[in-house]
Amino acid sequence: MIVCIAEKPSVARDIADVLGARERKDGYIEGNGYQVTWTFGHLCTLKEPHEYTPSWKSWSLSSLPMIPPRFGIKLIEDPGIHKQFKIIEHLMQAADEIINCGDAGQEGELIQRWVMQKAGAHCPVKRLWISSLTEEAIREGFSKLKDQIEFQPLYEAGLSRAIGDWLLGMNATRLYTLKYGQNRQVLSIGRVQTPTLALIVNRQQEIEHFVPKQYWELKTVYRDTTFSAIVRKSDEELAEEASQTSQASKKNINKEETNRGIPPITDETTGKLLLERISNVPFTITDTALKKGTEAPPRLFDLTSLQVECNKKFSYSADMTLQLIQSLYEKKVATYPRVDTTFLSDDIYPKCPKILEGLKDYTSFTAPLSGKTLIKSKKVFDNSKVTDHHAIIPTGVQPKGLTDMEKQVFDLIARRFIAIFYPDCKFSTTTVTGEADGIEFKVSGKQIIDPGWRIIFAKEPKDDTKEGEEESVLPAFTKGESGPHTPMLNEKWTQPPKPYTEATLLRAMETAGKLVDNEELRDALKENGIGRPSTRAAIIETLFKRHYIRKERKSLTATPTGVELIGLIHEELLKSAELTGIWEKKLREIERRSYDAKQFLNELKQMVSEIVNSVLSDNTNRRITITAEEPIHKTVTKNMPQKKKTTSTKRSKKVVSSPNTATDTLPQEDAIVGTKCPLCGKGTILKGKTAYGCSEWKNGCTFRKPF
């Protein structure tokens, strides 16, 4: 008998249907030579400290660092999990062959490997590796089963990540709690959560300490067109530009025009002198330049870019977007979501006409493509940019029974997919320069000549006014023409950095704290990003649960406890996004067989020891202040010195050591989420921290339903 094990019952049912297994049993489905069973996500976890050494049960500084000589796994304490595991164990020990049908990623590999180890499976194991749950994809996957050994590096990377999180989370949390938490509050420290918190705290402190500087802008209106004086760039601006220039364009850096223009106007007297200087002289057009250009369609979505877009457009949290796209995947209408590439492999290209044909609600856009050879751009199809999975795209299955929120997410994915087969947008940019008494002015205008792919997004509002301003048509100017003008001097103030939103925080996590707009540069920095696409949403949620951050409108701000915690941590290894990004890069290299898992863990063990020694030698008597507005974390147990017992040991430790995985599906009690707002009838219901609200709240809808 061949035993197939999936990650959840719904996926097991889909696989059983394809395999012809129809007979429902307790905990599995049987038929046609197969037994298809399932887990509920993680059934196993790493053992608790006291299960290695009894003395580690008590929280004490003298027991740190806790570094087990060998890590072990155990079943999660839950009656349902224990019952299902017994069924799996019985099936596996009698199996002739096992097919691992877990989610095709690092976490999915770890979940099923641990179950097989715990069950004592000893027969040959094959791996099903698919990117969607359509019948066609499952059949194709079963026709191309791979040997489990091919995925050993993936498992080792997942295991290294889990052990690394245990080592740092368990040791650093106990260390900081006992040293600085006044025995009253657990100070949760995590390999990814602490650098993420540091990003928010550092940005907040930049804003708080920002000193605005006054400056003035010199402009003039000529023929109903506003020209701006060309201002020389500062050394800081030039350095920033140089650092963000991609390698490809660095070759042309010397060919660029010199840094010309007037110095920045930092005092009103200088500004008034310049204004007076040009007031009584004519304005002369010195040059007009028309440059034609093209703009490629937007990239396909990876998980992070989808979360960013949903946060910008619909105010969905990263976690909510992950739940929605996971639901679309399980409903077979979208491909595997936990991906970090925006490219497709070449073998997807022949399947694209059929996928487009399946998008019945978008026939006005797909009809012009029907029967034609589809565009195949290297910016979309590139095998070298795809590893385990390709970008998120529709499967071609007609969506049915989607919630309003799922429809919104699917619409984003579908439109992006259709757009990649449309021609580039063609535009012209007109730049006009003029001068008055030797002071140069400039204005630019952009005109769309052929919208190309843009017609697919024509109804979407602009993200900001700047883009709309750029797409303005200028009057026809002639070089040498001259005439009267109306100069003006506008007072301005420098602005502080903007607080992080979930969208900008996800981008910062993806690029180890460096916020960049250039897509090629962002791709290069992804290698050093902190967290994985599938775990970043859960990390942000963890920071909310710990009361380290809160949300104010769309902005994320650190609580006093969050700020103090980062202030307490002097060990850069714990809070630096760049250093954490280096660890993440090593984990990816383990996956690619270019780095040794043992070496990674040895380095981590050494780092944990150094952090413990550093904190223990701190004699400054620093402490965390517990503020009235934040509840004390009641996740500590009798193992920690405390007068009163709160919750169970298991709950306490699970908080610290559990893998950073997000919930796979929307909770049953949240059935209201995604439905139409009963008050305004336009928006959809969102879940906040303490109440349900309407997505149209920014436009005045006052619907609110407390939990």
Side-chain angles (χ1 to χ4, degrees):
M1 191 70 77
I2 298 173
V3 173
C4 302
I5 180 163
E7 202 163 305
K8 58 185 64 178
S10 60
V11 177
R13 286 193 293 271
D14 292 337
I15 290 169
D17 285 344
V18 171
L19 296 176
R22 302 279 187 267
E23 192 178 347
R24 304 254 167 170
K25 303 272 190 175
D26 186 13
Y28 65 103
I29 308 166
E30 186 173 281
N32 203 23
Y34 291 95
Q35 292 170 327
V36 185
T37 187
W38 54 82
T39 61
F40 309 113
H42 276 277
L43 296 192
C44 299
T45 187
L46 290 173
K47 288 180 178 178
E48 306 292 347
H50 67 272
E51 291 170 301
Y52 298 106
T53 303
S55 62
W56 287 352
K57 190 165 187 175
S58 297
W59 287 43
S60 67
L61 291 173
S62 61
S63 66
L64 303 178
M66 301 178 294
I67 301 176
R70 184 178 177 84
F71 280 84
I73 56 172
K74 66 169 188 173
L75 282 179
I76 292 170
E77 291 299 325
D78 180 277
I81 284 175
H82 277 259
K83 180 188 174 188
Q84 183 64 14
F85 175 75
K86 283 293 179 189
I87 294 166
I88 294 169
E89 185 178 39
H90 173 72
L91 295 176
M92 285 186 170
Q93 290 188 353
D96 299 313
E97 181 179 278
I98 295 170
I99 300 176
N100 178 352
C101 305
D103 276 4
Q106 195 184 97
E107 200 69 18
E109 189 70 17
L110 188 67
I111 286 170
Q112 307 298 46
R113 291 276 192 127
W114 275 357
V115 169
M116 283 185 268
Q117 283 176 31
K118 193 71 180 165
H122 48 75
C123 60
V125 181
K126 298 284 187 183
R127 185 60 159 102
L128 175 70
W129 195 264
I130 54 177
S131 287
S132 80
L133 293 173
T134 62
E135 183 180 332
E136 181 187 5
I138 293 170
R139 286 192 189 283
E140 187 180 345
F142 269 92
S143 71
K144 298 176 181 177
L145 291 172
K146 301 182 180 185
D147 285 326
Q148 171 109 318
I149 193 68
E150 290 183 41
F151 300 91
Q152 185 65 19
L154 188 69
Y155 166 65
E156 288 178 6
L159 182 61
S160 299
R161 180 181 295 277
I163 292 174
D165 287 340
W166 190 102
L167 279 169
L168 198 63
M170 287 290 187
N171 283 287
T173 296
R174 289 192 180 193
L175 178 68
Y176 275 82
T177 297
L178 294 169
K179 183 76 175 174
Y180 304 118
Q182 303 180 57
N183 291 341
R184 296 167 60 202
Q185 179 171 12
V186 170
L187 301 179
S188 173
I189 307 287
R191 190 178 57 84
V192 180
Q193 78 173 38
T194 305
T196 304
L197 175 60
L199 287 174
I200 298 169
V201 170
N202 292 342
R203 173 61 58 85
Q204 192 163 311
Q205 290 177 337
E206 282 178 42
I207 295 168
E208 287 171 359
H209 298 143
F210 181 79
V211 179
K213 293 179 181 176
Q214 200 175 17
Y215 69 99
W216 284 262
E217 286 181 340
L218 184 63
K219 294 177 181 285
T220 193
V221 178
Y222 172 70
R223 286 181 53 192
D224 297 324
T225 304
T226 302
F227 287 74
S228 298
I230 299 173
V231 178
R232 196 176 304 152
K233 291 171 185 171
S234 66
D235 292 341
E236 291 81 4
E237 287 173 312
L238 291 171
E240 180 66 22
E241 280 184 11
S243 70
Q244 297 219 358
T245 304
S246 64
Q247 292 295 329
S249 56
K250 276 184 180 175
K251 297 173 186 174
N252 304 323
I253 212 159
N254 295 327
K255 297 178 184 177
E256 292 181 7
E257 61 181 15
T258 55
N259 184 23
R260 69 181 203 269
I262 60 172
I265 306 170
T266 55
D267 66 279
E268 192 173 16
T269 304
T270 301
K272 284 181 175 177
L273 288 172
L274 290 171
L275 187 68
E276 190 178 329
R277 178 177 150 188
I278 64 171
S279 290
N280 300 314
V281 296
F283 185 81
T284 304
I285 299 298
T286 55
D287 191 30
T288 64
L290 177 67
K291 185 179 178 182
K292 291 186 177 180
T294 60
E295 183 183 14
R299 291 222 186 154
L300 293 170
F301 286 114
D302 59 9
L303 178 58
T304 302
S305 59
L306 181 64
Q307 288 169 319
V308 167
E309 194 75 359
C310 286
N311 186 254
K312 284 181 179 177
K313 281 192 163 61
F314 314 126
S315 298
Y316 294 167
S317 70
D319 188 49
M320 177 59 74
T321 300
L322 178 56
Q323 292 181 46
L324 291 167
I325 183 58
Q326 177 72 22
S327 179
L328 292 174
Y329 169 62
E330 289 172 19
K331 289 179 177 177
K332 306 185 182 69
V333 299
T335 56
Y336 185 71
R338 292 169 166 83
V339 297
D340 60 359
T341 182
T342 57
F343 291 85
L344 299 175
S345 49
D346 290 332
D347 63 333
I348 302 297
Y349 179 73
K351 301 175 183 177
C352 290
K354 190 175 179 183
I355 296 171
L356 289 168
E357 192 181 315
L359 298 174
K360 305 293 186 188
D361 297 333
Y362 299 86
T363 49
S364 59
F365 299 130
T366 58
L369 302 172
S370 182
K372 296 181 180 177
T373 302
L374 297 175
I375 292 170
K376 189 182 181 186
S377 167
K378 191 70 175 171
K379 292 178 180 178
V380 178
F381 295 91
D382 188 341
N383 282 338
S384 68
K385 301 290 178 68
V386 179
T387 50
D388 300 331
H389 295 284
H390 54 68
I392 302 169
I393 60 171
T395 61
V397 173
Q398 176 68 8
K400 291 176 183 175
L402 302 188
T403 66
D404 288 347
M405 293 172 78
E406 287 171 346
K407 284 176 185 173
Q408 287 178 313
V409 176
F410 181 80
D411 183 65
L412 293 178
I413 296 165
R415 287 176 188 267
R416 285 266 178 123
F417 180 70
I418 298 167
I420 64 173
F421 302 110
Y422 267 67
D424 289 355
C425 167
K426 295 178 182 176
F427 62 89
S428 64
T429 303
T430 305
T431 304
V432 182
T433 53
E435 65 89 26
D437 196 29
I439 297 175
E440 287 187 287
F441 291 80
K442 184 169 76 171
V443 68
S444 293
K446 185 177 179 181
Q447 183 179 7
I448 301 294
I449 299 169
D450 180 355
W453 59 266
R454 277 180 171 260
I455 63 167
I456 295 168
F457 305 93
K459 291 182 181 178
E460 290 191 4
K462 300 295 180 193
D463 284 340
D464 51 45
T465 55
K466 186 179 176 184
E467 188 177 344
E469 288 167 4
E470 285 178 353
E471 292 180 16
S472 58
V473 182
L474 298 177
F477 291 102
T478 306
K479 184 178 179 180
E481 70 171 84
S482 184
H485 62 112
T486 308
M488 64 188 85
L489 188 68
N490 298 329
E491 179 187 5
K492 296 281 184 177
W493 290 86
T494 55
Q495 296 299 309
K498 291 182 179 178
Y500 280 116
T501 62
E502 285 205 38
T504 55
L505 181 62
L506 285 165
R507 282 293 186 217
M509 292 173 76
E510 184 182 52
T511 54
K514 294 181 173 65
L515 278 179
V516 291
D517 294 322
N518 182 289
E519 286 188 328
E520 287 181 23
L521 189 55
R522 197 160 64 222
D523 274 351
L525 288 170
K526 274 184 183 182
E527 190 70 10
N528 285 340
I530 58 176
R532 288 174 69 84
S534 57
T535 64
R536 288 177 189 137
I539 291 296
I540 296 170
E541 289 301 307
T542 297
L543 294 175
F544 280 123
K545 288 172 187 171
R546 305 276 189 248
H547 302 282
Y548 290 164
I549 64 171
R550 66 167 71 93
K551 193 179 287 187
E552 296 175 2
R553 295 270 175 161
K554 288 183 76 171
S555 299
L556 302 178
T557 60
T559 64
T561 300
V563 173
E564 283 196 41
L565 179 58
I566 294 303
L568 273 175
I569 298 172
H570 290 173
E571 294 69 36
E572 283 300 309
L573 281 164
L574 278 180
K575 61 181 181 179
S576 163
E578 278 192 69
L579 290 171
T580 306
I582 292 168
W583 303 340
E584 291 285 348
K585 184 182 180 188
K586 289 176 179 177
L587 286 164
R588 291 179 183 88
E589 288 172 349
I590 291 169
E591 208 171 300
R592 293 196 295 262
R593 292 184 168 96
S594 58
Y595 198 77
D596 184 52
K598 286 181 183 175
Q599 187 177 342
F600 172 78
L601 291 175
N602 286 337
E603 289 172 359
L604 206 57
K605 288 172 185 176
Q606 184 180 345
M607 186 199 76
V608 167
S609 298
E610 288 172 359
I611 288 169
V612 169
N613 291 333
S614 171
V615 172
L616 290 179
S617 63
D618 177 14
N619 297 318
T620 58
N621 204 30
R622 294 176 293 152
R623 292 287 185 271
I624 277 278
T625 305
I626 298 174
T627 54
E629 61 180 317
E630 295 160 1
I632 296 173
H633 292 281
K634 294 188 176 179
T635 52
V636 288
T637 70
K638 63 181 180 183
N639 298 336
M640 177 185 164
Q642 189 177 329
K643 291 178 182 176
K644 211 171 183 181
K645 182 177 171 182
T646 51
T647 60
S648 70
T649 305
K650 176 182 168 284
R651 169 105 187 261
S652 159
K653 293 178 183 173
K654 196 174 175 185
V655 166
V656 177
S657 65
S658 61
N660 299 319
T661 51
T663 310
D664 282 330
T665 53
L666 287 167
Q668 201 168 1
E669 63 267 28
D670 287 345
I672 185 176
V673 174
T675 60
K676 190 166 285 186
C677 175
L679 188 61
C680 71
K682 295 179 184 176
T684 52
I685 301 303
L686 305 175
K687 184 179 181 181
K689 288 183 72 178
T690 59
Y692 300 100
C694 175
S695 61
E696 288 288 306
W697 61 270
K698 285 188 286 188
N699 298 324
C701 182
T702 57
F703 174 80
R704 188 174 185 277
K705 181 181 178 183
F707 296 158

